[in-house]
Amino acid sequence: MSEPAAPSSPSSPTSRRRRLALAGVSLVAAAALAGLGASWASGSRLSELPKGPVLAKAIERGTLVVGVRRYPRPAPPEAPTPPEPDGFDATLARELARSLNLKLELVGLDVAAQEAALREGRVDLLVAGVPTTAAPKGIDAAPGSYDTGSGLVVALRKGRVQDAEALRGASVCVGEGSGYAGAVSLRFGAEPHSYPSSVHAVSAFMAGECTALAEDAEVLERLLKNDEWRFYKPLASGLRPPSDAAIRLPQGDAASRDYLAAALRQWRADGTLAQARGARAGNLQFEITLLKDGFICHS
């Protein structure tokens, strides 16, 4: 085994570039979220709706506690970063808290811990993508999806898979909580391989761990314009997740469930979801560009 590379001196140009790039990730995300917050008006119509026990408890506490996905951002090999909340999930959780005039507490959860956290009352709600299994007893979901984009599948231009029909049995990289995992399985008979985040899925795909990659079309269309993506091509478009990325809550609270469903409808109508997806695409593109600069995805 080769020896790990020695860390760059704090004053070296490489170290300075890395610090600036990492700071850029936070600045891009913060700017995107600030812009969204300024442009979204918390719906007065939502404030008039009744809140059931779940939301009433949060109102009494003064804080909405939301479980979200988390993952470590790309970082230098010698300086891994701890997992942080997914920006897309956090944006929607923040908008929910704003609509209720509450503070927000985000709880980053690995997929295996999400349902237990909700059942045990450690979080009020889950905003964590598409669940891997049908909702178990004790967990409900507000009708509607907050991740409504169209998906795209890409592969190597000169790889063994040259058309969508050849995807049967092929491995496809997807991010945790992605509805496109179910889409490629049902539509093409492909075998989705889940990674901690979309940027991890992209990293794994570019490293050759999967034959293809499935992701939001807006994200991949941006990436395919980059010179380093000239070796890849679209295979299939128009993917629609067969399952909703639903806001989950404890079972038996119809009023809170209806409030969350109304929030989703309003976000679709007023452009909130479209803006959140656009911000997500921009942030992912930035994180993925770091991979070619020598940063890696620590799992």
Side-chain angles (χ1 to χ4, degrees), residues 125-181:
L125 307 170
L126 279 176
V127 179
V130 177
T132 54
T133 58
K137 185 177 180 180
I139 295 178
D140 204 352
S145 179
Y146 57 79
D147 196 357
T148 56
S150 175
L152 182 67
V153 180
V154 299
L156 276 170
R157 286 191 177 277
K158 297 183 179 180
R160 69 177 184 83
V161 172
Q162 289 297 303
D163 53 53
E165 287 70 24
L167 283 170
R168 177 166 297 279
S171 58
V172 179
C173 289
V174 293
E176 179 187 304
S178 171
Y180 304 125

Side-chain angles (χ1 to χ4, degrees), residues 68-79:
V68 296
R69 290 169 286 190
R70 64 176 186 172
Y71 64 95
R73 270 46 176 190
E78 72 277 5

